[in-house]
Amino acid sequence: MMKENRQQNRDELTQALMQTKKTVMKQAGLAVVAVAVTVVMVFAMTVAWYSNILHTSDLTFKAESWDFTFEGSINLGQNNQLLASPGDSGYVNLNIANVSDKANYLGQATDVANIGVNVNIDKTDLGVLNNRVYFYVEKQTEVNGETVNKIYINDVDTYLYTIYAGKTLSLSEEYSNDYPLKWEWVYDVTGYYVRGTLQPDNTIDVEEYLQPVEFNDITKMFEFDDAGNIISYGDQSIDQYILENYLMKDGYTGGYVYDELSEAYTLTRITTTVDGVEQVVPNLYKITDDIWIVLCTKEQMEANNQLDTMMGKGQFVDEGENPSYAARIVLTGSKSRDNQVTVESAQSLIDSINNGTDTLFVLRDNLTLDAAPLVVASGTDAVLDLNGYTLTMTQPIESQANSSITLMNGTITAPEGSKITMINAEGAEIYMDNIISTGFYSGIEVYDSTSTSNMDSHVYISQSQIETKDSVVWLRGNGDRSYTKTTLIVENTTLTSTEYVAIGGNGTSQYYGTDILISKSTLNGYYSSIFHPMNKSTLLVKDSTLTGKTGLAIKGGSITIDNCTVIGTGENVNEPMQVSGFAVNGEGVCIEDNYSTLHGYEIDVIITGENTFIKSNHNRALNWIDGTAEKAGLAIYAGKLNSFETNDEYMNLLTTKYLATGKVATLLADGTIEINDAPASTPESE
């Protein structure tokens, strides 16, 4: 028996125009369907790229892949084109390898082994798409005291990716081991942030379009004045909408001031004098001297809508029959960090990190942290390079919301018999690379569910070996209180729990919203390698090995097993489905659908990859307990199943319920069941 779970002028034209997203998606959908048939319904964006990379004898960039993908059908690496239409969005597929040698760095600075890659975008040659196409990193973070959900990238504003020695930055729709880099083509342009200069006529000489201003609630309507300027949106004045949805969430300093006495906000507006009367310039909001929000008038919105519709139909009236649009992706490489401090004592390390110092700390000897807890304060970005030495901890690291801590290149231990957790995280970033850890009761406990910041933690573990008694990583998402999800990425790592599960989460409704990626790793759990009861959450396991009494336990979420070995070692004791926790009966993969039946949780399990091998030493390799929930589904596309015993009943289940369409199960001589494509049918002769 498992322990309990741990947490929207209302004329006809304007009315139709403001139903933006419904109309947009339908129109964009038509264009997408047409892609497979003809190129007339879409247009191409040619993407050139160059790199200005630091090269040294120890540091080399290797561009293994560089492409944009449109629903998997277009590869920029082959034809240098992004096919898209109004309303589309997608991922920038990018792989950059840091081939620095992972050597023994005892006694020397190690930041030369890790590199930073700054990404910025030059949209000079995008033409009419300049205020429509944007690039951003999908990351929720705090900037200048404001929580932003996307980090928009442009010619000035960049995003820094750090690549550890011997590691590859991999970004794609299918697999991202860091925050994904994405693009979007905004349909129905209604406004934008711009970088530019205010002119005497109170217009902006635009140098660059930075991010869109959108009105996405289809239940709300615009109200315009006689000149076509927006007065209100829904039940909010336009000023109130801009304040609450943009100025207070954009990460820029400026745009409004708050008066504590009156408890009122005043927006920074430009005024002009008309017929002796001072008036606010409509549709213009000042953030800084060179950053502005510019809203479109009704006439401009209608013109934008018409232009987008024409583009979606392949009609390029103003720019020729086959116009060319270009975006330049600029990659700049550098050393990961310059400010470096040698750690001489435990107290100096604690004081520096607790005081919020952004520094690379390098150990020169073994160190024990027992005087005070190590608190990574909000806003702090600290890197601790163990430099091959051992860090012994008697209290956990406390990583607060909007903080980041990196632990690398050494051993982290706790005294024998201790009951402490290595790291407690709340809306924080945790990076571990090349770490060996033993002695802790539990490893990383994520408490996004109780965080008042509503931010999501991002945990990344690579090239490490971590063993705990309880869970190595336990995730508590914050439901739908944030834009993104609580994320865990494990690569080239071994995680072992000697008394519980290597990775787990809580099935209680408010704790959903997690995204887990396991790649080229080994997960060993006492009860199970992974316990996944979370609703509205995803788990992707690729090229990995999972073992436990139950190899993998599933009670919620979208699960994909791709080219993995999953082994259940426990005895079959016929435990029933559990209200809390999961039954331990030795299956390789076990699906319990009672959360789906009782609470409406969605379960979607896909098993694929010709090298997938699922085995049970004492029970069925794959078992779906109950199997009657309407919101639960299972599809096996490839792989092999090896059960303790295979009978006609089980083969019938596989054939009628478990297999994906067009697949067949074949029982081999050794009792293994192999999943393959069904033979092609042959038309009967006339």
Side-chain angles (χ1 to χ4, degrees):
M1 179 79 66
M2 294 298 298
K3 62 175 72 175
E4 292 184 358
N5 285 331
R6 303 184 189 167
Q7 346 212 254
Q8 139 164 261
N9 177 334
R10 303 179 180 199
D11 57 61
E12 224 172 88
L13 177 59
T14 302
Q15 171 106 3
L17 174 62
M18 292 318 115
Q19 301 291 328
T20 56
K21 289 305 174 183
K22 272 187 178 175
T23 305
V24 171
M25 289 303 111
K26 288 180 180 179
Q27 293 183 4
L30 291 174
V32 170
V33 171
V35 171
V37 179
T38 175
V39 183
V40 175
M41 295 287 286
V42 300
F43 65 99
M45 182 192 305
T46 300
V47 179
W49 73 284
Y50 65 88
S51 57
N52 178 19
I53 307 286
L54 172 68
H55 290 270
T56 72
S57 58
D58 297 318
L59 176 59
T60 304
F61 270 90
K62 178 183 178 184
E64 295 185 327
S65 173
W66 180 263
D67 62 4
F68 282 83
T69 302
F70 179 64
E71 293 208 336
S73 60
I74 302 299
N75 187 320
L76 184 66
Q78 296 176 356
N79 58 21
N80 292 327
Q81 290 184 334
L82 161 67
L83 295 184
S85 50
D88 287 337
S89 62
Y91 290 73
V92 175
N93 295 345
L94 174 63
N95 286 271
I96 303 177
N98 176 3
V99 296
S100 299
D101 187 20
K102 176 69 77 171
N104 182 2
Y105 289 99
L106 287 173
Q108 61 175 302
T110 63
D111 66 329
V112 69
N114 303 312
I115 57 176
V117 179
N118 267 298
V119 180
N120 64 293
I121 311 294
D122 179 2
K123 303 198 301 178
T124 305
D125 299 325
L126 274 178
V128 296
L129 294 185
N130 220 320
N131 62 357
R132 287 165 165 77
V133 173
Y134 299 91
F135 295 80
Y136 62 92
V137 172
E138 194 167 62
K139 175 183 178 179
Q140 184 186 54
T141 188
E142 188 173 303
V143 181
N144 294 321
E146 298 176 349
T147 300
V148 300
N149 294 325
K150 297 177 180 178
I151 301 176
Y152 283 90
I153 302 175
N154 47 66
D155 194 36
V156 175
D157 301 315
T158 68
Y159 184 79
L160 176 66
Y161 287 102
T162 298
I163 312 176
Y164 298 112
K167 294 296 296 179
T168 296
L169 174 68
S170 297
L171 305 177
S172 70
E173 182 173 8
E174 295 77 20
Y175 177 95
S176 290
N177 59 9
D178 209 321
Y179 295 102
L181 177 58
K182 305 181 73 174
W183 60 270
E184 61 181 346
W185 179 350
V186 177
Y187 189 80
D188 285 340
V189 178
T190 51
Y192 18 72
Y193 280 71
V194 301
R195 177 177 288 107
T197 306
L198 182 67
Q199 301 299 297
D201 62 353
N202 291 318
T203 61
I204 302 298
D205 181 14
V206 178
E207 299 173 16
E208 185 176 16
Y209 292 90
L210 305 177
Q211 69 178 72
V213 174
E214 299 182 272
F215 300 82
N216 294 326
D217 190 337
I218 63 174
T219 68
K220 295 182 178 181
M221 306 280 293
F222 284 116
E223 182 178 358
F224 299 93
D225 63 17
D226 292 340
N229 303 309
I230 305 173
I231 299 174
S232 64
Y233 181 58
D235 58 358
Q236 286 185 303
S237 70
I238 188 60
D239 285 358
Q240 191 67 24
Y241 180 82
I242 292 297
L243 173 66
E244 294 180 1
N245 293 276
Y246 285 94
L247 293 176
M248 299 178 72
K249 298 179 179 180
D250 57 16
Y252 289 109
T253 300
Y256 65 92
V257 293
Y258 177 69
D259 183 80
E260 294 186 1
L261 185 61
S262 63
E263 297 183 344
Y265 293 90
T266 302
L267 277 61
T268 308
R269 304 298 301 271
I270 300 298
T271 61
T272 187
T273 301
V274 179
D275 297 329
V277 179
E278 188 177 44
Q279 299 178 359
V280 172
V281 176
N283 306 317
L284 184 61
Y285 297 83
K286 179 180 179 179
I287 300 175
T288 67
D289 287 340
D290 63 344
I291 305 293
W292 309 80
I293 289 179
V294 179
L295 300 182
C296 298
T297 63
K298 174 186 172 184
E299 182 181 5
Q300 290 169 333
M301 291 182 189
E302 291 170 350
N304 287 329
N305 177 264
Q306 183 179 17
L307 179 60
D308 283 332
T309 300
M310 292 173 65
M311 286 181 171
K313 295 179 179 179
Q315 299 174 2
F316 308 99
V317 177
D318 296 331
E319 302 193 7
E321 187 174 344
N322 294 297
S324 176
Y325 304 103
R328 177 173 293 156
I329 315 297
V330 184
L331 304 179
T332 305
S334 64
K335 292 183 178 181
S336 63
R337 193 175 299 249
D338 294 324
N339 49 327
Q340 182 179 135
V341 172
T342 298
V343 176
E344 302 292 350
S345 68
Q347 192 60 52
S348 66
L349 176 63
I350 291 171
D351 291 343
S352 295
I353 294 182
N354 288 7
N355 289 334
T357 305
D358 292 350
T359 304
L360 168 63
F361 301 94
V362 182
L363 262 61
R364 298 300 186 202
D365 202 348
N366 297 328
L367 202 65
T368 298
L369 295 180
D370 55 5
L374 190 62
V375 179
V376 189
S378 179
T380 300
D381 179 6
V383 177
L384 179 55
D385 188 345
L386 302 181
N387 199 22
Y389 294 106
T390 297
L391 177 68
T392 302
M393 297 166 47
T394 62
Q395 298 185 63
I397 295 173
E398 302 289 345
S399 199
Q400 298 179 350
N402 195 44
S403 70
S404 177
I405 178 72
T406 298
L407 303 167
M408 56 193 295
N409 302 331
T411 301
I412 304 177
T413 66
E416 185 176 352
S418 68
K419 291 287 185 177
I420 71 168
T421 297
M422 185 180 358
I423 303 174
N424 290 318
E426 183 179 301
E429 294 182 347
I430 309 297
Y431 297 94
M432 301 182 72
D433 180 66
N434 194 30
I435 290 292
I436 298 174
S437 178
T438 59
F440 290 93
Y441 181 73
S442 60
I444 302 173
E445 296 277 349
V446 177
Y447 293 96
D448 291 354
S449 56
T450 57
S451 173
T452 58
S453 70
N454 292 334
M455 298 185 68
D456 295 297
S457 291
H458 178 85
V459 180
Y460 176 58
I461 307 172
S462 68
Q463 303 178 125
S464 297
Q465 300 175 44
I466 304 175
E467 179 180 305
T468 61
K469 293 182 179 180
D470 203 70
S471 57
V472 181
V473 183
W474 192 269
L475 302 176
R476 301 168 183 85
N478 62 14
D480 58 4
R481 289 191 286 125
S482 60
Y483 176 80
T484 54
K485 292 182 178 180
T486 299
T487 304
L488 168 65
I489 299 172
V490 180
E491 289 187 310
N492 299 294
T493 288
T494 299
L495 303 182
T496 302
S497 169
T498 59
E499 296 182 5
Y500 194 32
V501 298
I503 296 174
N506 196 285
T508 307
S509 59
Q510 67 266 32
Y511 294 161
Y512 67 81
T514 64
D515 192 351
I516 303 172
L517 168 62
I518 312 298
S519 176
K520 299 177 182 178
S521 296
T522 299
L523 274 59
N524 307 304
Y526 180 77
Y527 288 109
S528 183
S529 63
I530 304 174
F531 173 41
H532 198 282
M534 299 86 81
N535 189 31
K536 299 179 182 179
S537 300
T538 61
L539 167 64
L540 170 60
V541 189
K542 292 173 58 69
D543 307 311
S544 298
T545 299
L546 312 179
T547 63
K549 288 190 173 184
T550 296
L552 171 60
I554 302 167
K555 300 190 75 165
S558 176
I559 317 297
T560 301
I561 303 167
D562 185 2
N563 281 315
C564 293
T565 297
V566 186
I567 301 176
T569 61
E571 298 288 339
N572 182 9
V573 296
N574 295 313
E575 251 190 1
M577 284 192 296
Q578 302 293 295
V579 174
S580 181
F582 61 95
V584 182
N585 291 314
E587 299 98 332
V589 174
C590 182
I591 305 169
E592 296 183 36
D593 63 11
N594 56 328
Y595 284 8
S596 182
T597 302
L598 295 173
H599 310 300
Y601 283 20
E602 293 185 359
I603 303 173
D604 182 20
V605 180
I606 293 176
I607 298 173
T608 189
E610 61 180 12
N611 294 320
T612 289
F613 180 69
I614 302 175
K615 175 182 174 64
S616 172
N617 293 342
H618 304 285
N619 203 336
R620 293 176 173 177
L622 173 64
N623 195 22
W624 185 352
I625 301 179
D626 190 14
T628 62
E630 293 182 359
K631 292 186 177 182
L634 165 64
I636 308 175
Y637 287 86
K640 295 180 179 179
L641 307 176
N642 186 283
S643 300
F644 177 68
E645 183 179 6
T646 299
N647 54 31
D648 292 341
E649 177 189 4
Y650 190 51
M651 288 296 293
N652 182 61
L653 273 174
L654 286 173
T655 303
T656 61
K657 194 166 185 177
Y658 294 174
L659 296 188
T661 302
K663 303 296 177 179
V664 294
T666 303
L667 183 60
L668 305 180
D670 65 353
T672 298
I673 300 172
E674 187 175 54
I675 313 301
N676 293 300
D677 293 334
S681 58
T682 303
E684 294 183 7
S685 301
E686 294 185 359

